[in-house]
Amino acid sequence: MRKYNRLDQIMDYLKIHNLVTVEELVIATEASPATIRRDLIKLDQQGVISRTHGGVTLNRFIPTQPTTLEKLHKSFTEKQLIADIAAQLIKAGDSIALDAGTTTLEIAKRITQMPIRVITSDLHIALFLSEFKQIEVTIIGGKIDDSSQSCIGEHGRSLLQQINPDISFISCNSWSLNKGVTAPTEDKALIKASFAEKADRVVLVADSSKYNCYSLFTSIPLNRFTDIITDNHLDEETLQLLKCQPFKLHIAN
């Protein structure tokens, strides 16, 4: 089994069980105790978990911005399914805004045959879509954030405040009903908020592994979104709470 798959298994198990032991993780992943202990050391160093005398628990606070490489294989199948639904919301002639992220990159891969206008902060998305003549691509410009290879700062925010896209797709590293979408840095939080400011339809694309996580800076309350697209791994209680909100909830299966 590839290592990131086993780490995903550990994370998923921790989301369901509040406090777990090494022995429980050995059974859940079919890995050796030594392997599980090495994985836990790595997750502890990343600040993802907290280790206590009774076992291991998930640390829901995300202190730093993960790099694009770190996120690339995380919940990859879920991101593809979410992108499938997101792409169905777009029609020929639309102007859309794509926030930086690996999920929004998957959306970009699904719209290459459509004559549309795309505004993005993500260098990877801009370079990828620039290969397709029927797509007009605008990158917001400004300072480059080295962890996500995307634009941040006042220059990009100013441009976003002047445009009126049909749909804006927002990705994130953390979201919850109480705290909304949050970000580890003020610059990232402000850029995301600007993406949501003037769009007719504001869509959050976020897999369930990021739910109930949070970072220091609040960006967008969940009631600002018209749609939220996530996967089918949320627990039933959370699903019922989200379904009672004013946004439309889409579950990717």
Side-chain angles (χ1 to χ4, degrees):
M1 181 178 290
R2 294 172 66 182
K3 190 172 181 66
Y4 67 79
N5 281 340
R6 189 176 60 253
L7 292 181
D8 283 348
Q9 277 189 292
I10 292 172
M11 293 295 289
D12 288 342
Y13 195 83
L14 282 167
K15 288 167 197 162
I16 299 170
H17 305 83
N18 185 43
L19 185 69
V20 304
T21 64
V22 170
E23 291 73 21
E24 288 175 311
L25 291 173
V26 166
I27 295 170
T29 63
E30 298 182 349
S32 70
T35 297
I36 292 299
R37 289 190 182 93
R38 285 195 296 270
D39 288 341
L40 293 179
I41 290 171
K42 180 177 181 179
L43 291 171
D44 192 17
Q45 290 171 341
Q46 293 174 350
V48 174
I49 63 169
S50 297
R51 304 176 76 185
T52 69
H53 293 300
V56 179
T57 188
L58 193 62
N59 184 357
R60 294 289 185 176
F61 181 71
I62 301 175
T64 60
Q65 175 74 27
T67 67
T68 300
L69 187 60
E70 287 171 339
K71 296 188 295 181
L72 196 57
H73 296 296
K74 176 71 174 174
S75 301
F76 183 63
T77 299
E78 288 80 3
K79 291 174 183 177
Q80 290 182 309
L81 294 171
I82 289 168
D84 287 340
I85 293 179
Q88 293 173 18
L89 304 180
I90 306 166
K91 63 182 186 299
D94 276 349
S95 59
I96 69 167
L98 291 177
D99 185 20
T102 50
T103 306
T104 44
L105 178 58
E106 289 303 311
I107 297 173
K109 293 176 182 177
R110 286 154 174 76
I111 57 174
T112 56
Q113 303 304 314
M114 302 180 70
I116 55 174
R117 302 177 69 181
V118 176
I119 302 95
T120 187
S121 59
D122 192 303
L123 299 184
H124 302 282
I125 291 173
L127 287 171
F128 172 73
L129 290 179
S130 67
E131 298 291 328
F132 302 93
K133 292 183 178 180
Q134 70 274 23
I135 300 178
E136 180 184 313
V137 182
T138 299
I139 191 160
I140 64 172
K143 181 182 175 182
I144 301 299
D145 173 61
D146 57 2
S147 62
S148 62
Q149 292 84 53
S150 65
C151 304
I152 54 174
E154 186 58 37
H155 180 88
R157 288 177 58 210
S158 177
L159 187 145
L160 288 170
Q161 288 162 1
Q162 296 175 49
I163 62 171
N164 301 284
D166 296 301
I167 313 176
S168 187
F169 293 95
I170 313 293
S171 64
C172 68
N173 298 312
S174 51
W175 64 292
S176 69
L177 192 54
N178 293 332
K179 298 180 185 297
V181 169
T182 59
T185 68
E186 185 177 16
D187 275 336
K188 293 293 289 185
L190 289 172
I191 280 289
K192 288 182 183 298
S194 296
F195 267 102
E197 196 164 310
K198 291 192 173 182
D200 291 336
R201 194 169 187 177
V202 184
V203 182
L204 176 63
V205 288
D207 65 78
S208 62
S209 71
K210 301 166 183 174
Y211 187 75
N212 259 354
C213 297
Y214 68 98
S215 290
L216 184 59
F217 295 93
T218 296
S219 180
I220 310 168
L222 285 200
N223 62 14
R224 175 64 184 92
F225 292 97
T226 57
D227 304 76
I228 292 180
I229 309 175
T230 189
D231 58 68
N232 62 354
H233 299 317
L234 291 170
D235 63 81
E236 189 59 34
E237 182 180 355
T238 298
L239 279 175
Q240 292 307 315
L241 286 172
L242 292 174
K243 287 177 180 177
C244 292
Q245 304 308 309
F247 48 76
K248 183 175 181 180
L249 183 66
H250 307 257
I251 302 298
N253 294 299

